């Protein structure tokens, strides 16, 4: 009799475990990245997003990252990338597709019919202007940002009113090309006061040489780099550290992960807050909330924050 009781107890435990597993399946999240590791802002966002998802609990998650943006002059054909992703999920489509950065958002929307159109699509960590040519579909939502580089220039001029030259560190890759006309338009009101120097046609060695000999009353703004004019790829930490050690002018950025890495400061986009907002939306989508009901306003830069060490360094 005891033997049968033991067998029955084991069966009940197994059935209970199967039932529990059925109630809490591992959810599959496909994360399409714009760049390989090295973009400090997006790398920080992805790490903070993972942490935020864990803190929000719920069913288990399996996040799979695939880089879909080009790197330098070497990249796979988009068709090959699409076929690779489809093969990964041949048995079961993901529960959520999320993009990180503007290039990945453009890629996902371009290939929406091939990349799981029935699966909710969440566009994250990209400028809201990436959505200007095509409104969100019923099965799409976004947690965008409103990058306001002119506001950072205002911060620089308030802190250093004698500034006459701003060296803009920006790459020749997709983000640099996309944002350049936006920045040109936003900087128009400074034309009578500031001369802007752009790095998009320079190699990294040329950039590092230029920052050593900028004219008096200059400032440096690191927007992004990724790819230089020669097609070379560099990590943001590598470039920012090299600029910091060589520059004869103070360095600024509009993204929070750079504070403490040599920038003076300014009105910064809070990437940790952005990751938390994105995790809130992702959890709702995984719980079955309709993407069309989740329309999130773009996140804006916060109040100015400064590194006291850099304020002292530049007096």
């Amino acid at each position: 009799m005891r033997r049968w009781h033991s067998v029955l107890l084991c069966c009940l435990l197994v059935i209970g475990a199967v039932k529990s597993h059925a109630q809490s399946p591992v959810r599959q999240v496909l994360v399409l990245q714009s760049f390989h590791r090295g973009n400090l802002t997006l790398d920080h966002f992805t790490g903070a997003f993972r942490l935020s998802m864990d803190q929000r609990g719920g069913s288990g998650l399996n996040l799979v990252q695939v880089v879909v943006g080009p790197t330098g002059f070497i990249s796979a054909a988009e068709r090959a990338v699409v076929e690779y992703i489809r093969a990964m999920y041949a048995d079961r489509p993901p529960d959520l597709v999320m993009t990180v950065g503007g290039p990945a958002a453009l890629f996902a929307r371009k290939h929406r019919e091939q990349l799981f159109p029935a699966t909710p699509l969440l566009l994250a960590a990209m400028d809201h202007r990436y959505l200007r040519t095509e409104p969100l579909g019923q099965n799409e939502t976004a947690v965008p940002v409103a990058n306001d580089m002119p506001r950072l220039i205002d911060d620089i001029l308030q802190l250093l009113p004698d500034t006459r030259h701003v060296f803009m560190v920006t790459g020749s890759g997709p983000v640099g090309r996309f944002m350049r006309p936006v920045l040109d338009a936003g900087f128009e009101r400074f034309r009578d006061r500031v001369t802007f120097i752009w790095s998009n046609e320079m190699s990294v060695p040329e950039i590092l040489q230029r920052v050593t000999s900028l004219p008096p009353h200059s400032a440096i703004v690191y927007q992004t780099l990724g790819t230089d004019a020669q097609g070379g790829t560099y990590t943001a930490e590598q470039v920012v550290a090299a600029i910091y050690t060589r520059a004869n002018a103070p360095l600024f950025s509009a993204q929070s992960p750079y504070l403490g890495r040599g920038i003076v400061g300014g009105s910064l986009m809070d990437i940790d807050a952005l990751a938390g907002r994105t995790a809130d939306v992702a959890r709702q989508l995984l719980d079955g909330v309709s993407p069309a009901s989740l329309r999130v306003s773009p996140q804006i830069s916060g109040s100015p924050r400064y590194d006291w060490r850099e304020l002292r360094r530049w007096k």
Side-chain angles (χ1 to χ4, degrees):
M1 180 65 70
R2 289 180 179 176
R3 179 184 176 188
W4 285 108
H5 275 296
S6 298
V7 171
L8 178 60
L9 179 60
C10 289
C11 290
L12 291 174
L13 288 174
V14 170
I15 292 172
V18 171
K19 183 177 180 181
S20 175
H21 178 74
Q23 291 176 340
S24 301
V26 174
R27 314 303 295 274
Q28 302 293 331
V29 179
L30 170 62
V31 181
L32 302 180
Q33 295 280 0
S34 291
F35 308 104
H36 291 281
R37 289 187 59 82
N39 182 300
L40 184 60
T41 299
L42 297 187
D43 289 348
H44 186 97
F45 170 84
T46 302
F49 172 78
R50 283 178 174 271
L51 179 60
S52 297
M53 291 294 283
D54 290 340
Q55 292 173 340
R56 282 154 178 74
S59 59
L61 288 177
N62 180 35
L63 274 69
V64 176
Q65 299 183 58
V66 178
V67 178
V68 298
T71 301
F73 294 137
I74 303 173
S75 61
E78 287 192 358
R79 180 186 299 177
V81 177
V82 170
E83 291 176 353
Y84 169 74
I85 294 172
R86 286 172 57 86
M88 289 172 56
Y89 294 93
D91 295 331
R92 171 192 164 192
D95 299 289
L96 174 66
V97 177
M98 186 177 95
T99 66
V100 178
L106 294 177
F107 176 91
R109 303 191 82 191
K110 177 180 178 181
H111 300 286
R112 188 69 172 121
E113 290 305 314
Q114 293 79 40
L115 293 178
F116 322 112
T119 297
L121 174 62
L122 171 58
L123 310 172
M126 48 74 175
D127 192 279
H128 69 104
R129 281 160 283 220
Y130 277 95
L131 300 172
R132 62 189 174 188
T133 58
E134 183 180 354
L136 291 169
Q138 289 298 304
N139 207 26
E140 300 175 340
T141 191
V143 184
V145 301
N147 288 306
D148 190 355
M149 200 64 73
R151 182 179 174 187
L152 181 62
I153 304 301
D154 283 328
D155 293 336
I156 294 172
L157 293 175
Q158 182 175 9
L159 192 67
L160 301 167
D162 291 334
T163 300
R164 297 293 178 267
H165 309 275
V166 175
F167 184 53
M168 295 293 302
V169 180
T170 183
S172 60
V175 173
R177 292 194 301 269
F178 180 86
M179 291 301 297
R180 176 62 187 273
V182 174
L183 296 177
D184 279 333
F187 290 164
E188 187 62 35
R189 62 186 174 91
F190 302 110
R191 298 299 179 189
D192 294 336
R193 186 173 178 182
V194 174
T195 298
F196 290 90
I197 308 165
W198 298 85
S199 74
N200 57 294
E201 294 185 357
M202 301 179 188
S203 66
V204 163
E206 290 171 335
I207 292 172
L208 298 181
Q209 178 61 38
R210 179 63 68 89
V211 299
T212 65
S213 57
L214 291 170
H217 307 298
S218 291
I220 303 167
V221 172
Y222 182 89
Q223 185 218 351
T224 184
L225 186 73
T227 306
D228 70 2
Q230 293 184 348
T233 58
Y234 300 82
T235 66
E237 291 150 302
Q238 175 186 7
V239 175
V240 169
I243 291 174
Y244 179 76
T245 59
R246 292 168 171 80
N248 68 341
L251 175 64
F252 294 82
S253 175
Q255 307 295 327
S256 63
Y258 292 97
L259 191 64
R261 295 175 179 269
I263 70 167
V264 177
S267 300
L268 306 178
M269 184 67 65
D270 189 335
I271 301 304
D272 289 294
L274 179 66
R277 297 178 76 208
T278 305
D280 286 336
V281 173
R283 275 296 179 191
Q284 293 181 71
L285 293 172
L286 289 170
D287 288 340
V289 176
S290 169
S293 68
L294 299 172
R295 294 294 184 250
V296 180
S297 59
Q299 180 170 309
I300 62 174
S301 302
S303 300
R305 290 186 288 160
Y306 296 98
D307 187 328
W308 173 241
R309 297 167 297 180
E310 300 307 315
L311 292 177
R312 287 190 301 177
R313 179 189 181 197
W314 297 104
K315 299 180 176 59

